[in-house]
């Protein structure tokens, strides 16, 4: 099982990886990208089972990343991990084809609840 | 206490947001910042994020550099004196990014969030409306100055208020 963590903040990628471990996904292989554009390359190279992406990033936002993947026919599981958890954001995420949205700050329990239906 | 002026987010809610972010990043044992009377932040660093739309302004965080270095060291598991400036910018930028995102969700209308910007040598404090919180015995300022639409953009990279954040 491979998870791609996309965030322009190095510390936040580290915190997401730590939280994945705490949520019981410590055995997953983790790959990282610093923005949406880098994530496009990593998806092609690494073929992750799940993409966990920030929304607000330079170069290519998380929403643009998701739109690009879906436009290319890539339906792999995709979840946002973002500081904006309002209903309009959740609706936008769902409309674009995201499986879930986890709002920062988050807990390992929230990760487990969001990832379990997707990864089992 | 209602120290904030001219904003849609009550002081208590803003304090809660900052508390949740600190607790989530640093653990319950680190304690939550709490509201105290205004005090100057010595040798500060700052980060800010713009919000533009139904409410247009900035959310600004100032804290002592030593506190920012301590937090950064804790998060990267490094001694505070070995913290790189790029990591310091990354951490204070992400702090305001999470705080700003939470604030944005409480504001009226449709709003857009800019990317965060950071400043490791900000000028003297001019915003006396800032909320003053205390954490680890030191003051932290959080403020929400309003600005005209279109001005809530991050300062271009390479200037004093640098948008650069650490990359892998």
């Amino acid at each position: 099982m491979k998870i791609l963590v996309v965030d322009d903040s190095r510390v936040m990628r580290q915190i997401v990886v730590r939280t994945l471990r705490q949520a019981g996904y410590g055995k997953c292989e983790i790959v990282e990208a610093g923005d949406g554009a880098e994530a496009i390359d990593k998806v092609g190279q690494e073929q992750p089972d799940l993409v966990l992406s920030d929304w607000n990033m330079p170069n290519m936002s998380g929403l643009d990343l998701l739109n690009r993947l879906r436009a290319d026919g890539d339906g792999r599981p995709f979840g946002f991990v973002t500081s904006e958890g309002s209903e309009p954001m959740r609706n936008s995420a769902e409309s674009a084809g995201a499986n879930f949205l986890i709002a920062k700050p988050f807990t390992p329990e929230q990760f487990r609840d969001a990832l379990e239906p997707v990864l089992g | 206490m209602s120290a904030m002026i001219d904003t849609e987010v009550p002081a208590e809610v803003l304090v809660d947001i900052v508390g949740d972010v600190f607790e989530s990043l640093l653990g319950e044992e680190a304690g939550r910042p709490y509201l105290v009377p205004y005090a100057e932040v010595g040798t500060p660093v700052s980060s800010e994020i713009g919000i533009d739309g139904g409410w247009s302004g900035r959310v600004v965080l100032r804290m002592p550099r030593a506190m920012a270095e301590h937090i950064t060291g804790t998060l990267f598991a490094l001694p505070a004196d070995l913290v790189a400036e790029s990591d310091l910018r990354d951490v204070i930028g992400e702090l305001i990014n999470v705080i700003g995102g939470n604030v944005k969700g409480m504001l009226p209308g449709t709003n857009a969030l800019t990317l965060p910007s950071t400043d490791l040598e900000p000028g003297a404090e001019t915003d006396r409306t800032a909320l003053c919180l205390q954490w680890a015995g030191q003051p932290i300022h959080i403020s929400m100055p309003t600005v005209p639409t279109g001005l809530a953009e991050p300062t271009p990279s390479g200037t004093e208020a640098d948008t650069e954040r650490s990359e892998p």
Side-chain angles (χ1 to χ4, degrees):
Chain A
M1 191 82 74
K2 194 182 282 187
I3 300 175
L4 173 61
V5 176
V6 189
D7 200 306
D8 57 319
S9 166
R10 187 163 86 91
V11 74
M12 186 49 69
R13 291 199 301 273
Q14 188 166 305
I15 290 164
V16 167
V17 171
R18 183 186 74 196
T19 308
L20 281 169
R21 256 197 329 266
Q22 292 167 340
Y25 295 93
K27 288 185 178 167
C28 291
E29 184 182 346
I30 307 291
V31 285
E32 300 183 20
D35 60 42
E38 193 185 334
I40 292 284
D41 294 338
K42 283 282 167 72
V43 166
Q45 292 161 11
E46 302 285 347
Q47 294 297 318
D49 300 286
L50 169 69
V51 179
L52 280 181
S53 178
D54 187 18
W55 190 299
N56 192 24
M57 295 182 290
N59 300 328
M60 181 186 277
S61 73
L63 185 61
D64 290 341
L65 166 63
L66 175 57
N67 285 333
R68 170 78 180 274
L69 290 174
R70 294 297 185 254
D72 290 347
D74 190 320
R76 82 186 66 236
F78 188 107
F80 284 106
V81 181
T82 173
S83 62
E84 305 172 56
S86 65
E87 272 312 302
M89 296 294 284
R90 290 179 187 278
N91 292 338
S92 297
E94 192 179 343
S95 301
N99 296 76
F100 56 82
L101 184 151
I102 298 170
K104 302 172 187 173
F106 44 69
T107 63
E109 290 70 31
Q110 287 169 322
F111 264 57
R112 206 173 298 129
D113 291 346
L115 268 65
E116 215 165 59
V118 177
L119 295 180
Chain B
M1 187 183 298
S2 183
M4 294 299 290
I5 59 167
D6 193 25
T7 178
E8 303 283 340
V9 182
E12 296 76 10
V13 174
L14 203 47
V15 172
D16 271 350
I17 289 172
V18 176
D20 288 347
V21 172
F22 270 65
E23 195 171 276
S24 166
L25 294 183
L26 298 165
E28 271 182 47
E29 64 279 7
R32 295 171 70 92
Y34 55 93
L35 208 51
V36 294
Y38 188 90
E40 294 292 336
V41 174
T43 319
V45 293
S46 72
S47 56
E48 65 178 64
I49 196 161
I51 297 174
D52 206 3
W55 183 87
S56 288
R58 297 172 294 138
V59 187
V60 183
L61 177 71
R62 289 168 68 94
M63 65 172 63
R65 183 177 178 121
M67 180 191 292
E69 287 173 343
H70 168 74
I71 292 171
T72 304
T74 301
L75 292 174
F76 283 111
L78 282 171
D81 59 348
L82 291 183
V83 164
E85 286 203 346
S86 58
D87 289 337
L88 196 59
R89 288 187 188 278
D90 183 29
V91 167
I92 62 175
E94 191 57 20
L95 280 172
I96 199 63
N97 184 43
V98 180
I99 293 167
N102 279 262
V103 166
K104 172 181 172 268
M106 301 186 156
L107 294 170
T110 303
N111 291 287
L113 203 61
T114 69
L115 293 169
S117 62
T118 60
D119 191 343
L120 300 187
E121 293 182 8
E125 178 69 274
T126 55
D127 186 0
R128 297 281 300 194
T129 67
L131 282 184
C132 188
L133 284 67
Q134 183 164 298
W135 186 79
Q138 296 291 317
I140 300 171
H141 288 178
I142 182 96
S143 58
M144 290 180 58
T146 54
V147 292
T149 302
L151 293 183
E153 295 296 326
T155 309
S157 174
T159 60
E160 186 182 353
D162 201 332
T163 57
E164 285 292 328
R165 297 205 309 197
S166 67
E167 294 300 333

